[in-house]
Every structure is written in structure tokens, then in C-alpha cells.
Amino acid sequence: LKTGDPVSLGAFVHVLGHKRDAQQFMSENGIPSFVWHIPGGFKALRTIYRVKMQSHIDSLLAGEPVSARTKKLSAENALKATKKYSESVGAQSALSPRKRENVM
């Protein structure tokens, strides 16, 4: 983790799913739970990915610049994508990548 790219590691944590899924992965692999909270930990890496990458994906779907820093903002972005494309695209963009179906 020390030498890995923060955006790539954040993408990994993002794809794991929700916080509970990431914490399950951590416990299964002997990673202490406090690593979620420390600076540079799993939560911080996921936030870096959302700010630097997921926001661009959501902006393309919404047709305007948006932020994807939090789960609430991702839900709002999904609503914008629904208005621009279809309900199927909006529903899938609100989900964790692990739980999405292929919509396009």
C-alpha cells in the first residue's frame, strides 16, 4: 500500500462496495479496522478516487460538472443521469460498480 498509486488503490476500495463490504474484506485479510479511518487509509483512498475519477464519470452521465465525493452526491448524480438518458442508466450509476449490470 505504501508504494501504490492512491487513485488505483481508491478504485479498488470503491469497487469493493459499501463501507461494510470494505471492512469485511479488511477483516478477511487481517487488516486492522482502524486502517479505514487513518489518513491515507481505505476511506481516504476511496475519497481520492471519487474526487479524481468518479466525478468525471458522473459528469459525463449527467451532462454537467458534478461532484461524487459522497454517497449522497452520487445519488443526486444518478438522478441527473436518469433525466438525461433513462431510468436504467440512473439506477445503475447510483450502485457500487460491483453491483451494476451492464447497462450500455
Side-chain angles (χ1 to χ4, degrees):
L1 286 174
K2 288 182 181 181
T3 59
D5 173 42
V7 176
S8 298
L9 294 170
F12 173 74
V13 177
H14 179 74
V15 171
L16 283 174
H18 298 289
K19 177 181 178 180
R20 141 183 108 255
D21 300 321
Q23 289 178 329
Q24 179 183 351
F25 169 82
M26 292 167 60
S27 69
E28 289 171 355
N29 290 283
I31 301 169
S33 61
F34 71 87
V35 174
W36 175 261
H37 300 283
I38 62 173
F42 277 38
K43 182 178 181 180
L45 292 170
R46 183 182 69 176
T47 301
I48 289 170
Y49 170 77
R50 285 180 174 173
V51 169
K52 292 190 175 190
M53 298 302 295
Q54 189 63 39
S55 60
H56 296 298
I57 296 165
D58 289 351
S59 294
L60 287 171
L61 289 173
E64 63 184 72
V66 296
S67 174
R69 185 179 178 99
T70 64
K71 195 176 187 180
K72 180 182 176 187
L73 290 173
S74 292
E76 292 172 6
N77 298 341
L79 204 58
K80 292 176 184 177
T82 299
K83 290 178 184 175
K84 183 165 174 127
Y85 295 103
S86 69
E87 186 149 333
S88 174
V89 172
Q92 292 298 313
S93 64
L95 294 174
S96 158
R98 179 175 144 213
K99 298 176 182 167
R100 291 182 189 165
E101 296 175 15
N102 187 4
V103 294
M104 292 191 179

